[in-house]
Structures are given as C-alpha cells and as structure tokens.
Amino acid sequence: MTDMQRESMEYDVVIVGGGPAGLSAAIRLKQLDADLQVVLLEKGSEVGAHILSGAVLDPCGLDALIPDWKEKGAPITVPVREDNFYMLGEAGQVRVPNWPMPKLMNNHGNYIVSMGNVCRWMAEQAEALGVEIFPGMACSELVYGENGEVRGVVAGEFGKNPDGSKGDGYEPGMELLGKYVFLGEGVRGSLSKEVIGKFNLSEGHEPQKFGLGMKEIWEIDPAKHREGTVTHTMGWPLGANAGGGSFIYHLENNQVYVGFVVHLNYKNPYLYPYMEFQRFKHHPMVAELLKGGKRVAYGARAISEGGYQSMPKMVAPGVALLGCSVGMVNVPRIKGNHNAMLSGKAAAEAAHAAIQAGRASDELTAYETEVREGAIGKDLKKVRNVKPLWSKYGLTASLTLGGFDMWTNELLGLSLFGTQKHGKSDAEATGKVFAHKPIDYPKPDGTLSFDRLTNVSFSFTNHEESQPAHLTLKNAEVPIAENLPNYDEPAQRYCPAGVYEVVREEGKEPRFVINFQNCVHCKTCDIKDPSQNIHWTVPQGGDGPNYPNM
Ligand SMILES: Cc1cc2nc3c(=O)[nH]c(=O)nc-3n(C[C@H](O)[C@H](O)[C@H](O)COP(=O)(O)OP(=O)(O)OC[C@H]3O[C@@H](n4cnc5c(N)ncnc54)[C@H](O)[C@@H]3O)c2cc1C
C-alpha cells in the first residue's frame, strides 16, 4: 500500500489491456470457469480506441478461442481475395510473382479487418461471460506483495496537477489485486518494461527490435476499390536508408488502409519516418489509387520485430506478459494478432489450472512452455532469421536469403543459418550526425500528403492539459546538451505526432519542448531515443487517441 489510502478489490485474475491478448485471456478464463473473478482494465476511452493494426487477420487464434465466431457476428467479413507484392522504384514498380513466396506468406484464408472493431466485439463476448471491463482506466503502477511478487495494479488515478501535486478533484484510484496479473499492454508497455527490468527477464535473450507503423484510412473512388485486395511494397522511398515497407488493404465501404512501417534500427538520425510515409503516397501507383479520395483517419504504433530470439522470459511471481508485451509478431507476415490471441488463451489455461490447484502469485511456467513450444513458438521459429538477415545484408539479400531460409524451414524444418542475432538495440543503432547527411523531404501537398499536426487531428487524440506530462525525461539536460549536437535531436523527426520540438529563439539557448497532448501512444520515443532518456508512462485514463475503425 502506498502512503495514500486506496480502496482495493480482490480478483482471481487482473488483466491490463483490452487488446486481442488481454481480451482472449479474459474470455478463456470465463469459458473455463464461470465463477472466476476476472477484471480487465483498458486505458482507452473504450475498448478499441487505442488499437492500431494493419490488419490482415489470420483467424487461427480466434478459431481456437471462439470457434463459432461467424455465427456470433464477429466483424470479420472481408476475406482476402488477391495478394500482391511489389518492389518500388521512384517512378515505377515490379510485381513479384506469388509462386516463389513461401506458403506461410500466402494470405488465402485470412481476413481484412478493423482490429479496433474486432476488439470491441471481443469485449462484448467477454462481458456476456461476466468479465468486468473498465475502459478509461490506465494502470499506472504495479502493486508488489511482501515477497516481491506482483499482487496487482493501481488504476484510475485522476486529477494530478501538471507539477505532480494533487489537484482539487484528485482521485487516488484503486488497487486491483489478483492471484495472477496479466500484462497485455502491447508493444513496450510501461508496466511490462518495469517487470522485465525488475525480474531481469531479458537476460539470455536478444534485445527486442521494433518498427514504427503509421497508418491512414482513406475513402477512395468506388471505381478503384477492390474489396479483399492486399498489397505490400518494399523499396522506394526508403531504399538503403532503412528497412521497412508499406501495406495497402482494401476493406469494405470503399475504404482502404494505407500503412507504412519503418524499422527503428535505422542509422541516419536525419531520417524522418513520418515524411517517408507521406512521400510514399506520391509514388505513381499509390497516387493513382488515392487520387480523388480522402483521408479520414490517421494513427501510429510501434510494432515488435525481434521475434523468436527476442522473446524475454514471460513469467515472474504473480505476473505473466501476453502478446506484444512479449513481442509475438511474425515479421515477414506482419502479423501478431493471432499469436496475441493464442497467448491470452494459453495464459488463461495456465492460470486456471494453477488456481484449481490452490496456487497463487507464483510463476505460470506452463504458460511460457506452451508459448515457446506450441503454435506460437512454431510460427515464430520458422521466420526467426528474416529480420536479422535484412538488418545485416539489406533488402535484396534479405529477400533471397530470408526467402530461402523460410523455404528450408517450411520444407525441411531447419535453417542453414542457425539462429541469427539481432545485435544492437534500436536506440544504440542510431548513428551520429557527423557520419550522415540530412535528407531533403518534399513539403506535403495537402491532398495526398499532410503535415504531421494536421494528420494528428485525424487521430482524434485528446489529453487533458492540466495533468503532468506522461512523457518524462530522466535527465532534462540531455536533449539539448547531448542529443542535439550528436544526433540533431532525432525526437523532432522520429515522433509521428510532433510531440517533440527544439525551439530556437533569437538571443536564447535552444529549448526542448514536449507537446504531450499530441501523443498517439506509439512508444517510439521510449524505444528510439539514443540516450534512452525518455520514459513513456500512461496519462490519466481515457486520454489518447480515439481511433474509429483502425
Ligand atoms: C502498423 C501495424 C500493422 C500491423 N498489421 C498487422 C496485421 O495486418 N495483422 C496482424 O495480425 N498483426 C498486425 N500488427 C501487429 C498487431 O497489431 C499486434 O501483434 C497486436 O496488436 C498485439 O496485441 P496485444 O493485445 O498484445 O496488444 P495491443 O493490440 O497493442 O493492445 C494493448 C492494449 O492495452 C492497452 N494498454 C496498454 N497499456 C495499458 C495500461 N498500462 N493500462 C491500461 N491499458 C493499457 C492499450 O490501450 C491497448 O488497448 C500490426 C501492428 C502495427 C503497429
């Protein structure tokens, strides 16, 4: 208990995060035993408000959890009908045929979905089973027990002043305690980061790797819309500057998801991922598709890319990490939702068995074994070398070597490359200014491409201004004293929401400004800051983006 008096409530399982991982865990627990007390806390104003995926969904996770999802009216109605892959040059493109692609890259049987809507629907299923779901409740602290085990979380603290003191309407929040706490916070969760650090869970594993994914929803000319079409591209505009590529998914209602991922291990500190995305839309093939359409939503989120060799230990006394809090994305497939669901299911099954046996607050080792040796481990193991080969040898070599490796894994169950290492963290990969040249980006034209702040208004983000900034600096001097001379303070560019500015006024020293109100909760700053000086924490509950059907 902290110095202030907080009410506390006891549950069997406390789940942080209403993403596919957390919701699957909640549903499975109640399927196994309707009498279990299960609570799920979500920082978004509603479940789905902070969800951002591509998304092409491999339904294997949902099949295992709710086999009759179709009859139950899941918003999963657009099967993939066409799968295209292009290498882009500045003025043209080459279609890579589907036949040399390993089978696992095939999207046949998958669906184009809004994961926000899928999560909203999963929340309805969970509530119907009796799960208590509280949206608008950010979990800001972990509660530890007498022996150092995780006992619960603090959620719903509101009304702090910008300086951290208690305001007039201060609410201390509640302690929600459980026999087990599941952290389904997604990529780079703040509580998960604490648990990984405190229990040294990354020891013996490769560093986690990340990409920054940015996405717009467009309503396009119906004559150009081809429902069920999936297109991926690589090459221009990133070229040799960074790994990454794009996705274009035609969902229903003449809407298209247009997205762009930049791997965050890029070296050139002048690289501006958001502007790469905007530039991409000017490629003739993409511009032609979008011409006459309008962008109706924008958002961004980091994506985990370390895969098999980067998954930390995922259990510690009283706590289990789920889904992308561990990092379960199959990178070449750009898919993690199925594994997030399977991990939630596996954690629920392990916790149920433990509770039945009278256990509490210990390590759910059965969950970790299932993840590493079951369907998730098998899915990730086959593709474990694609990302490290790309990072080491670049795009073309990675397509051939990575493709070859996926084939041998698929056909023979082995890799000639063993298990490649990722090496440096994404923060450490950032090079210094003296070794790199600034990149000249064209100005957004306001039709196909947009400036950052205009686009942020299409994420419908809102943060109450009279609260402390949820982006904190370990050392306030570092951005100007170290990052500016060494890296031209890359936060100005890597943040896809324009949160960070270096303000220069005549006769004054440059100032580092944090516009936390713009933050879309992508966590890139926490990942990419070369000095690892920025710490992302949760703002008060309900704040952040309000994505429609991302
Ligand atoms: C651009 C992009 C494209 C992608 N495309 C695809 C795709 O096409 N197909 C696919 O399968 N996967 C895709 N992925 C990956 C997929 O999104 C993830 O694997 C998946 O979201 C992981 O689910 P999760 O439940 O672990 O986390 P998330 O989906 O991130 O959900 C976490 C939830 O927890 C909440 N939360 C976090 N911290 C707290 C806290 N402290 N208190 C309360 N609530 C909290 C968040 O608000 C959020 O609602 C993509 C990812 C990105 C970024």
Side-chain angles (χ1 to χ4, degrees):
M1 184 68 84
T2 50
D3 55 342
M4 69 198 87
Q5 254 343 84
R6 284 192 171 111
E7 278 182 49
S8 71
M9 286 185 73
E10 280 281 353
Y11 290 87
D12 288 304
V13 181
V14 175
I15 302 173
V16 178
L23 288 162
S24 299
I27 290 170
R28 188 66 186 142
L29 282 161
K30 291 299 250 184
Q31 286 173 340
L32 290 167
D33 183 350
D35 292 333
L36 285 176
Q37 299 298 312
V38 180
V39 66
L40 184 148
L41 306 145
E42 166 55 48
K43 68 179 161 62
S45 58
E46 54 161 349
V47 169
H50 290 183
I51 294 295
L52 187 139
S53 264
V56 172
L57 178 70
D58 176 341
C60 67
L62 204 54
D63 287 342
L65 186 73
I66 308 179
D68 56 346
W69 53 264
K70 266 190 194 149
E71 293 73 36
K72 289 202 158 104
I76 303 178
T77 54
V78 180
V80 176
R81 297 205 171 92
E82 200 186 318
D83 220 349
N84 307 305
F85 181 70
Y86 291 96
M87 286 298 297
L88 301 188
E90 186 165 359
Q93 68 277 350
V94 176
R95 171 133 195 234
V96 180
N98 290 350
W99 63 263
M101 299 274 187
K103 213 168 70 207
L104 61 89
M105 296 295 285
N106 189 334
N107 275 311
H108 183 77
N110 297 333
Y111 293 82
I112 299 176
V113 298
S114 151
M115 271 316 288
N117 286 345
V118 171
C119 288
R120 288 177 183 102
W121 175 82
M122 288 178 78
E124 283 167 20
Q125 307 308 304
E127 279 182 326
L129 290 167
V131 176
E132 289 178 39
I133 298 188
F134 296 113
M137 294 284 270
C139 301
S140 47
E141 285 174 46
L142 289 160
V143 179
Y144 293 98
E146 279 176 5
N147 300 314
E149 77 281 14
V150 174
R151 278 285 285 125
V153 294
V154 172
E157 190 180 19
F158 286 95
K160 277 188 179 170
N161 291 320
D163 64 1
S165 61
K166 295 170 193 167
D168 289 343
Y170 178 73
E171 297 280 346
M174 289 188 70
E175 284 187 353
L176 297 117
L177 309 175
K179 295 185 175 108
Y180 294 99
V181 175
F182 288 175
L183 299 180
E185 296 179 290
V187 182
R188 196 71 163 198
S190 44
L191 301 183
S192 311
K193 189 174 147 186
E194 179 175 325
V195 164
I196 291 170
K198 183 177 165 71
F199 295 100
N200 206 11
L201 302 183
S202 290
E203 192 180 17
H205 303 278
E206 283 293 288
Q208 187 51 270
K209 306 294 285 181
F210 302 90
L212 166 60
M214 296 152 285
K215 177 174 162 189
E216 293 171 358
I217 305 181
W218 280 72
E219 274 167 20
I220 63 163
D221 177 354
K224 298 178 193 169
H225 188 256
R226 300 197 311 277
E227 189 174 297
T229 300
V230 162
T231 300
H232 290 112
T233 75
M234 284 181 179
W236 191 85
L238 288 173
N241 281 333
S246 83
F247 58 88
I248 302 174
Y249 303 154
H250 292 241
L251 61 160
E252 64 248 284
N253 301 327
N254 299 318
Q255 289 199 331
V256 176
Y257 291 138
V258 183
F260 200 80
V261 176
V262 176
H263 298 180
L264 285 174
N265 60 354
Y266 64 82
K267 295 193 178 91
N268 187 341
Y270 293 112
L271 193 102
Y272 196 155
Y274 174 84
M275 291 305 250
E276 297 285 349
F277 175 31
Q278 297 308 303
R279 185 149 75 153
F280 156 74
K281 289 181 287 169
H282 288 269
H283 187 277
M285 183 181 90
V286 187
E288 176 50 33
L289 176 74
L290 301 181
K291 212 165 72 189
K294 65 172 182 192
R295 171 269 281 111
V296 294
Y298 166 75
R301 183 85 173 94
I303 179 167
S304 61
E305 294 186 338
Y308 187 74
Q309 52 273 58
S310 296
M311 285 196 291
K313 185 175 176 211
M314 51 203 92
V315 292
V319 65
L321 308 180
L322 315 184
C324 278
S325 290
V326 175
M328 296 184 179
V329 171
N330 180 318
V331 175
R333 296 181 75 203
I334 336 178
K335 288 185 185 61
N337 287 308
H338 61 302
N339 285 339
M341 290 178 185
L342 291 171
S343 80
K345 178 172 174 285
E349 286 166 1
H352 171 251
I355 292 168
Q356 288 250 304
R359 288 165 44 201
S361 297
D362 56 2
E363 292 194 4
L364 292 171
T365 45
Y367 162 59
E368 174 139 5
T369 306
E370 171 57 26
V371 170
R372 293 197 190 273
E373 293 175 11
I376 300 171
K378 289 193 177 86
D379 183 52
L380 297 180
K381 195 170 180 192
K382 279 186 224 160
V383 300
R384 67 193 181 280
N385 289 324
V386 175
K387 163 88 181 177
L389 287 170
W390 190 341
S391 305
K392 266 182 211 152
Y393 303 114
L395 174 58
T396 316
S398 86
L399 282 177
T400 27
L401 293 177
F404 173 74
D405 195 49
M406 284 194 278
W407 269 115
T408 59
N409 268 289
E410 204 160 87
L411 296 176
L412 310 171
L414 58 86
S415 167
L416 300 183
F417 298 98
T419 298
Q420 295 278 304
K421 291 187 184 311
H422 289 300
K424 292 178 183 170
S425 73
D426 293 335
E428 289 163 345
T430 317
K432 296 201 171 165
V433 280
F434 68 82
H436 296 278
K437 289 202 176 75
I439 304 172
D440 194 18
Y441 290 99
K443 263 206 157 79
D445 69 356
T447 308
L448 276 179
S449 47
F450 311 97
D451 67 74
R452 243 181 339 192
L453 292 186
T454 305
N455 238 354
V456 170
S457 69
F458 283 79
S459 66
F460 313 103
T461 294
N462 181 49
H463 287 90
E464 173 60 51
E465 297 204 7
S466 59
Q467 64 179 309
H470 63 281
L471 300 147
T472 57
L473 299 177
K474 290 180 200 156
N475 178 343
E477 311 296 320
V478 163
I480 298 299
E482 290 178 27
N483 281 0
L484 193 58
N486 288 327
Y487 308 99
D488 194 36
E489 183 45 275
Q492 303 176 84
R493 291 172 294 279
Y494 61 60
C495 171
V499 166
Y500 302 99
E501 272 181 281
V502 174
V503 175
R504 295 168 198 269
E505 289 158 318
E506 222 179 299
K508 294 187 182 164
E509 290 297 309
R511 279 185 301 126
F512 188 62
V513 175
I514 302 179
N515 304 300
F516 74 88
Q517 299 85 346
N518 295 350
C519 175
V520 294
H521 298 198
C522 76
K523 322 271 176 83
T524 302
C525 51
D526 196 291
I527 296 163
K528 186 63 178 168
D529 176 28
S531 308
Q532 285 296 277
N533 186 47
I534 301 178
H535 179 53
W536 194 99
T537 56
V538 285
Q540 65 181 30
D543 287 3
N546 282 289
Y547 295 137
N549 57 333
M550 278 288 189

